[in-house]
Amino acid sequence: MYPPPPAPAPHRDFISVTLSLGESYDNSKSRRRRSCWRKWKQLSRLQRNVILFVLGFLILCGFLYSLQVSDQWKALSGSRAEVEKMKLEVLPVLPAPQKESAEPEGFADILSQKRQRHLRRGPPHLQIRPPNTVSKDGMQDDAKEREAALGKAQQEENTQRTVISWRGAVIEPEQATEPPSKRAEASIKPLFLASRIWKEPEFKEARKWVSENLDFQKNVDVNLFESTIRILGGLLSAYHLSGDSLFLSKAEDFGNRLMPAFTTPSKIPYSDVNIGTGFAHSPQWTSDSTVAEVTSIQLEFRELSRLTGIKKFQEAVEEVTKHIHSLSGKKDGLVPMFINTNSGLFTHPGVFTLGARADSYYEYLLKQWIQGGKKETQLLEDYVRAIEGIKAHLLRQSQPRKLTFVGELAHGRFSAKMDHLVCFLPGTLALGVHHGLPADHMDLARALMETCYQMNQQMETGLSPEIAHFNMYPRADHKDVEVKPADRHNLLRPETVESLFYLYRVTKDRKYQDWGWEILQSFNKYTRVPSGGYSSINNVQNSHKPEPRDKMESFFVGETLKYLYLLFSDDLELLGLDTCVFNTEAHPLPIWSPA
Ligand code: DMJ
């Protein structure tokens, strides 16, 4: 045992603290040193060795730790630089609309903005752009620098446009100067005056590929609907954009290969066809086809007939339209989701949605009417009746913000579920109003557009889930839009921005551009892949871990980016709503007899 330490003198402690200034500093230090030394001497050899070993170990650890921290610090500074670099790389790649009545900016402003122009881009109509006219007053010294700055800014814009024009929207609005090929039919007002895409090197490269590599003699099953809207629609659109008959002959070849799909007892086409063998069939598990699929191939087949003079394409698809027009099982113009290829009857009756499996039925009623010069009144009647059916049976308002949404009906039971796919509807309604349909359709279009925007905006990533559920009852802590775990993914779908494009074209309200801009920022932030391209994500509600799926659907470049490009263009005649209709994959086709 060690002798007990000398009894502490409480007053002395008190004095050593409070009166330390009255005691010499050296004295107190040397006393402490002496007492430590005495205690050290009182320890056994073993105890001293243990203490020395522990001290040595601690010093060694401290040294190693300091080395590691300095490495981490270096890495951290490096990764900060990386983050900054990435911020610069994750630039919005689409051009934005011109600032409205912009005051010319001072040169100093432009120079200081130049470096940050992408990072600080706000809503499109507030964006900073080089002025069109520049005051000469007091600016002569800076003229060269200004020119360089503007040139650089323009260069940046051009680079962005090049990026987007290659894999995205392939149209350059500022080059809209020349008409398409003289080979375009005289009866059709030249469609794409606005574009001279066929002069672009990318187009030439693509044409070469189509000419040398696109061979449809393949033993492969394709889905009739998907390949019609993407391949046939794309080829027809390329023909109209370029006037190059290569695309029309490819379209005719492909159309012929799809025709066996219509050889069913009911003339309602099969879902699948082998384009090499001509064997067409339903999916293995059913003889049903999807209503949206068999009714959303008409724009393309009709146009193919008009261009080639071969009637069978148009006749086959119009047979389907007529059949469905007179079919029972609808509810105030709303159609079920399935139809049987043998009986020609709707199956799974009593279930109504504007989402998957029914959506583009409604879209193509209106668009065929427009395509044909607004003469086929039966199409119009079916469309208008369906909109009334939607109002009567599927519309509700959410809580707390009273967002108007389109739900679903199953055997009389309403479900507050809305697919993101339904967001095509505000755009289609606005397109109808542009072509003379009732003004109350526009009220509905605006209300639904707000809802689709909120489906994006209320998510942590700013991107809509695949399916939203709406809260219909006032409940504390509940937002309007709710998402089930299985529905949290985002496939880079176009419907919201597609509708924003139509709403902007019809109303000229720049808020729709702003909303599109926000969505583009979110795509760039959460779905853009640093090495190139974009990816679907698993979870729109987790901005820290959105979980990329490593998959980019072709509709992202075919539709989503194209509609964003057109939304941000202030050239309202670029693929104007009076000259063309976009098929459901965003490929523009001509209106036959423009009003
Ligand atoms: C597109 O392929 C078409 O728009 C189709 O009509 C349904 N939606 C997808 C993209 O979401």
Side-chain angles (χ1 to χ4, degrees), residues 186-204:
S187 63
I188 300 298
K189 210 173 164 186
L191 229 201
F192 304 118
L193 292 169
S195 173
R196 58 173 195 181
I197 174 65
W198 61 95
K199 290 193 176 167
E200 298 298 317
E202 293 92 344
F203 174 78
K204 286 182 182 147

PDB file of all heavy atoms in Angstrom, residues 186-204:
ATOM      1  N   ALA A 186     -46.761  18.104-103.096  1.00  0.00           N
ATOM      2  CA  ALA A 186     -47.241  19.471-103.221  1.00  0.00           C
ATOM      3  C   ALA A 186     -48.515  19.690-102.420  1.00  0.00           C
ATOM      4  O   ALA A 186     -48.774  20.769-101.913  1.00  0.00           O
ATOM      5  CB  ALA A 186     -47.482  19.784-104.688  1.00  0.00           C
ATOM      6  N   SER A 187     -49.335  18.633-102.287  1.00  0.00           N
ATOM      7  CA  SER A 187     -50.611  18.797-101.587  1.00  0.00           C
ATOM      8  C   SER A 187     -50.399  19.026-100.087  1.00  0.00           C
ATOM      9  O   SER A 187     -51.271  19.528 -99.396  1.00  0.00           O
ATOM     10  CB  SER A 187     -51.471  17.559-101.792  1.00  0.00           C
ATOM     11  OG  SER A 187     -50.815  16.457-101.219  1.00  0.00           O
ATOM     12  N   ILE A 188     -49.245  18.622 -99.617  1.00  0.00           N
ATOM     13  CA  ILE A 188     -48.966  18.785 -98.188  1.00  0.00           C
ATOM     14  C   ILE A 188     -48.085  20.011 -98.029  1.00  0.00           C
ATOM     15  O   ILE A 188     -47.035  20.126 -98.639  1.00  0.00           O
ATOM     16  CB  ILE A 188     -48.211  17.561 -97.654  1.00  0.00           C
ATOM     17  CG1 ILE A 188     -49.047  16.301 -97.841  1.00  0.00           C
ATOM     18  CG2 ILE A 188     -47.839  17.749 -96.198  1.00  0.00           C
ATOM     19  CD1 ILE A 188     -50.334  16.310 -97.092  1.00  0.00           C
ATOM     20  N   LYS A 189     -48.549  20.888 -97.210  1.00  0.00           N
ATOM     21  CA  LYS A 189     -47.748  22.071 -96.934  1.00  0.00           C
ATOM     22  C   LYS A 189     -46.413  21.593 -96.359  1.00  0.00           C
ATOM     23  O   LYS A 189     -46.408  20.788 -95.431  1.00  0.00           O
ATOM     24  CB  LYS A 189     -48.465  22.913 -95.884  1.00  0.00           C
ATOM     25  CG  LYS A 189     -48.190  24.368 -96.004  1.00  0.00           C
ATOM     26  CD  LYS A 189     -49.080  25.086 -95.027  1.00  0.00           C
ATOM     27  CE  LYS A 189     -48.582  26.486 -94.830  1.00  0.00           C
ATOM     28  NZ  LYS A 189     -49.336  27.150 -93.788  1.00  0.00           N
ATOM     29  N   PRO A 190     -45.297  22.036 -96.939  1.00  0.00           N
ATOM     30  CA  PRO A 190     -44.025  21.504 -96.422  1.00  0.00           C
ATOM     31  C   PRO A 190     -44.001  21.596 -94.912  1.00  0.00           C
ATOM     32  O   PRO A 190     -44.240  22.635 -94.334  1.00  0.00           O
ATOM     33  CB  PRO A 190     -42.986  22.412 -97.055  1.00  0.00           C
ATOM     34  CG  PRO A 190     -43.643  22.950 -98.269  1.00  0.00           C
ATOM     35  CD  PRO A 190     -45.108  23.039 -97.966  1.00  0.00           C
ATOM     36  N   LEU A 191     -43.719  20.458 -94.353  1.00  0.00           N
ATOM     37  CA  LEU A 191     -43.947  20.314 -92.925  1.00  0.00           C
ATOM     38  C   LEU A 191     -42.901  21.001 -92.072  1.00  0.00           C
ATOM     39  O   LEU A 191     -43.183  21.824 -91.221  1.00  0.00           O
ATOM     40  CB  LEU A 191     -43.902  18.831 -92.610  1.00  0.00           C
ATOM     41  CG  LEU A 191     -44.999  18.233 -91.783  1.00  0.00           C
ATOM     42  CD1 LEU A 191     -44.541  16.952 -91.175  1.00  0.00           C
ATOM     43  CD2 LEU A 191     -45.516  19.179 -90.738  1.00  0.00           C
ATOM     44  N   PHE A 192     -41.681  20.650 -92.333  1.00  0.00           N
ATOM     45  CA  PHE A 192     -40.670  21.025 -91.377  1.00  0.00           C
ATOM     46  C   PHE A 192     -39.758  22.098 -91.934  1.00  0.00           C
ATOM     47  O   PHE A 192     -38.551  21.967 -91.974  1.00  0.00           O
ATOM     48  CB  PHE A 192     -39.910  19.783 -90.934  1.00  0.00           C
ATOM     49  CG  PHE A 192     -40.844  18.755 -90.389  1.00  0.00           C
ATOM     50  CD1 PHE A 192     -40.976  17.525 -90.976  1.00  0.00           C
ATOM     51  CD2 PHE A 192     -41.637  19.081 -89.306  1.00  0.00           C
ATOM     52  CE1 PHE A 192     -41.880  16.605 -90.476  1.00  0.00           C
ATOM     53  CE2 PHE A 192     -42.539  18.171 -88.806  1.00  0.00           C
ATOM     54  CZ  PHE A 192     -42.671  16.930 -89.390  1.00  0.00           C
ATOM     55  N   LEU A 193     -40.440  23.187 -92.342  1.00  0.00           N
ATOM     56  CA  LEU A 193     -39.702  24.343 -92.810  1.00  0.00           C
ATOM     57  C   LEU A 193     -38.660  24.739 -91.781  1.00  0.00           C
ATOM     58  O   LEU A 193     -37.632  25.307 -92.105  1.00  0.00           O
ATOM     59  CB  LEU A 193     -40.670  25.512 -92.991  1.00  0.00           C
ATOM     60  CG  LEU A 193     -41.679  25.345 -94.115  1.00  0.00           C
ATOM     61  CD1 LEU A 193     -42.738  26.435 -94.021  1.00  0.00           C
ATOM     62  CD2 LEU A 193     -40.989  25.388 -95.465  1.00  0.00           C
ATOM     63  N   ALA A 194     -38.986  24.415 -90.565  1.00  0.00           N
ATOM     64  CA  ALA A 194     -38.171  24.900 -89.465  1.00  0.00           C
ATOM     65  C   ALA A 194     -36.848  24.177 -89.319  1.00  0.00           C
ATOM     66  O   ALA A 194     -36.032  24.535 -88.505  1.00  0.00           O
ATOM     67  CB  ALA A 194     -38.961  24.787 -88.186  1.00  0.00           C
ATOM     68  N   SER A 195     -36.649  23.155 -90.066  1.00  0.00           N
ATOM     69  CA  SER A 195     -35.461  22.356 -89.774  1.00  0.00           C
ATOM     70  C   SER A 195     -34.630  22.087 -91.019  1.00  0.00           C
ATOM     71  O   SER A 195     -35.152  21.957 -92.112  1.00  0.00           O
ATOM     72  CB  SER A 195     -35.902  21.035 -89.163  1.00  0.00           C
ATOM     73  OG  SER A 195     -34.789  20.209 -89.039  1.00  0.00           O
ATOM     74  N   ARG A 196     -33.362  21.997 -90.845  1.00  0.00           N
ATOM     75  CA  ARG A 196     -32.548  21.510 -91.948  1.00  0.00           C
ATOM     76  C   ARG A 196     -31.616  20.414 -91.416  1.00  0.00           C
ATOM     77  O   ARG A 196     -30.440  20.351 -91.714  1.00  0.00           O
ATOM     78  CB  ARG A 196     -31.765  22.628 -92.613  1.00  0.00           C
ATOM     79  CG  ARG A 196     -30.853  23.375 -91.675  1.00  0.00           C
ATOM     80  CD  ARG A 196     -29.996  24.332 -92.465  1.00  0.00           C
ATOM     81  NE  ARG A 196     -28.902  24.797 -91.651  1.00  0.00           N
ATOM     82  CZ  ARG A 196     -27.998  25.654 -92.061  1.00  0.00           C
ATOM     83  NH1 ARG A 196     -28.058  26.136 -93.273  1.00  0.00           N
ATOM     84  NH2 ARG A 196     -27.031  26.034 -91.269  1.00  0.00           N
ATOM     85  N   ILE A 197     -32.250  19.606 -90.638  1.00  0.00           N
ATOM     86  CA  ILE A 197     -31.544  18.542 -89.950  1.00  0.00           C
ATOM     87  C   ILE A 197     -30.725  17.681 -90.898  1.00  0.00           C
ATOM     88  O   ILE A 197     -29.645  17.210 -90.578  1.00  0.00           O
ATOM     89  CB  ILE A 197     -32.556  17.674 -89.165  1.00  0.00           C
ATOM     90  CG1 ILE A 197     -31.902  16.458 -88.545  1.00  0.00           C
ATOM     91  CG2 ILE A 197     -33.712  17.212 -90.006  1.00  0.00           C
ATOM     92  CD1 ILE A 197     -30.927  16.786 -87.516  1.00  0.00           C
ATOM     93  N   TRP A 198     -31.240  17.487 -92.122  1.00  0.00           N
ATOM     94  CA  TRP A 198     -30.569  16.562 -93.027  1.00  0.00           C
ATOM     95  C   TRP A 198     -29.196  17.050 -93.451  1.00  0.00           C
ATOM     96  O   TRP A 198     -28.438  16.330 -94.066  1.00  0.00           O
ATOM     97  CB  TRP A 198     -31.445  16.302 -94.259  1.00  0.00           C
ATOM     98  CG  TRP A 198     -31.722  17.535 -95.059  1.00  0.00           C
ATOM     99  CD1 TRP A 198     -31.029  17.965 -96.137  1.00  0.00           C
ATOM    100  CD2 TRP A 198     -32.748  18.475 -94.828  1.00  0.00           C
ATOM    101  NE1 TRP A 198     -31.555  19.137 -96.597  1.00  0.00           N
ATOM    102  CE2 TRP A 198     -32.623  19.477 -95.808  1.00  0.00           C
ATOM    103  CE3 TRP A 198     -33.783  18.587 -93.891  1.00  0.00           C
ATOM    104  CZ2 TRP A 198     -33.475  20.570 -95.871  1.00  0.00           C
ATOM    105  CZ3 TRP A 198     -34.616  19.670 -93.969  1.00  0.00           C
ATOM    106  CH2 TRP A 198     -34.468  20.647 -94.944  1.00  0.00           C
ATOM    107  N   LYS A 199     -28.880  18.285 -93.124  1.00  0.00           N
ATOM    108  CA  LYS A 199     -27.544  18.774 -93.465  1.00  0.00           C
ATOM    109  C   LYS A 199     -26.538  18.531 -92.343  1.00  0.00           C
ATOM    110  O   LYS A 199     -25.360  18.801 -92.503  1.00  0.00           O
ATOM    111  CB  LYS A 199     -27.609  20.273 -93.759  1.00  0.00           C
ATOM    112  CG  LYS A 199     -28.337  20.559 -95.046  1.00  0.00           C
ATOM    113  CD  LYS A 199     -28.144  21.973 -95.486  1.00  0.00           C
ATOM    114  CE  LYS A 199     -28.804  22.182 -96.842  1.00  0.00           C
ATOM    115  NZ  LYS A 199     -28.921  23.589 -97.170  1.00  0.00           N
ATOM    116  N   GLU A 200     -27.024  18.047 -91.233  1.00  0.00           N
ATOM    117  CA  GLU A 200     -26.137  17.864 -90.088  1.00  0.00           C
ATOM    118  C   GLU A 200     -25.284  16.601 -90.252  1.00  0.00           C
ATOM    119  O   GLU A 200     -25.774  15.584 -90.755  1.00  0.00           O
ATOM    120  CB  GLU A 200     -26.955  17.736 -88.804  1.00  0.00           C
ATOM    121  CG  GLU A 200     -27.767  18.963 -88.478  1.00  0.00           C
ATOM    122  CD  GLU A 200     -26.896  20.182 -88.248  1.00  0.00           C
ATOM    123  OE1 GLU A 200     -25.859  20.049 -87.576  1.00  0.00           O
ATOM    124  OE2 GLU A 200     -27.256  21.256 -88.754  1.00  0.00           O
ATOM    125  N   PRO A 201     -24.022  16.640 -89.804  1.00  0.00           N
ATOM    126  CA  PRO A 201     -23.187  15.441 -89.931  1.00  0.00           C
ATOM    127  C   PRO A 201     -23.768  14.241 -89.199  1.00  0.00           C
ATOM    128  O   PRO A 201     -23.674  13.111 -89.661  1.00  0.00           O
ATOM    129  CB  PRO A 201     -21.850  15.863 -89.313  1.00  0.00           C
ATOM    130  CG  PRO A 201     -22.040  17.208 -88.741  1.00  0.00           C
ATOM    131  CD  PRO A 201     -23.317  17.784 -89.252  1.00  0.00           C
ATOM    132  N   GLU A 202     -24.406  14.505 -88.047  1.00  0.00           N
ATOM    133  CA  GLU A 202     -24.991  13.378 -87.307  1.00  0.00           C
ATOM    134  C   GLU A 202     -26.079  12.705 -88.135  1.00  0.00           C
ATOM    135  O   GLU A 202     -26.230  11.486 -88.132  1.00  0.00           O
ATOM    136  CB  GLU A 202     -25.609  13.854 -85.980  1.00  0.00           C
ATOM    137  CG  GLU A 202     -24.628  14.366 -84.972  1.00  0.00           C
ATOM    138  CD  GLU A 202     -24.434  15.864 -85.093  1.00  0.00           C
ATOM    139  OE1 GLU A 202     -24.818  16.435 -86.139  1.00  0.00           O
ATOM    140  OE2 GLU A 202     -23.888  16.483 -84.151  1.00  0.00           O
ATOM    141  N   PHE A 203     -26.847  13.537 -88.823  1.00  0.00           N
ATOM    142  CA  PHE A 203     -27.910  12.971 -89.651  1.00  0.00           C
ATOM    143  C   PHE A 203     -27.312  12.118 -90.758  1.00  0.00           C
ATOM    144  O   PHE A 203     -27.785  11.021 -91.057  1.00  0.00           O
ATOM    145  CB  PHE A 203     -28.780  14.082 -90.245  1.00  0.00           C
ATOM    146  CG  PHE A 203     -29.792  13.554 -91.205  1.00  0.00           C
ATOM    147  CD1 PHE A 203     -30.948  12.945 -90.744  1.00  0.00           C
ATOM    148  CD2 PHE A 203     -29.572  13.608 -92.578  1.00  0.00           C
ATOM    149  CE1 PHE A 203     -31.870  12.409 -91.626  1.00  0.00           C
ATOM    150  CE2 PHE A 203     -30.497  13.072 -93.463  1.00  0.00           C
ATOM    151  CZ  PHE A 203     -31.650  12.468 -92.987  1.00  0.00           C
ATOM    152  N   LYS A 204     -26.256  12.628 -91.352  1.00  0.00           N
ATOM    153  CA  LYS A 204     -25.630  11.876 -92.449  1.00  0.00           C
ATOM    154  C   LYS A 204     -25.127  10.525 -91.949  1.00  0.00           C
ATOM    155  O   LYS A 204     -25.263   9.508 -92.619  1.00  0.00           O
ATOM    156  CB  LYS A 204     -24.488  12.693 -93.052  1.00  0.00           C
ATOM    157  CG  LYS A 204     -25.017  13.836 -93.896  1.00  0.00           C
ATOM    158  CD  LYS A 204     -23.920  14.626 -94.543  1.00  0.00           C
ATOM    159  CE  LYS A 204     -24.528  15.795 -95.325  1.00  0.00           C
ATOM    160  NZ  LYS A 204     -23.682  16.967 -95.335  1.00  0.00           N
TER     161      LYS A 204
END
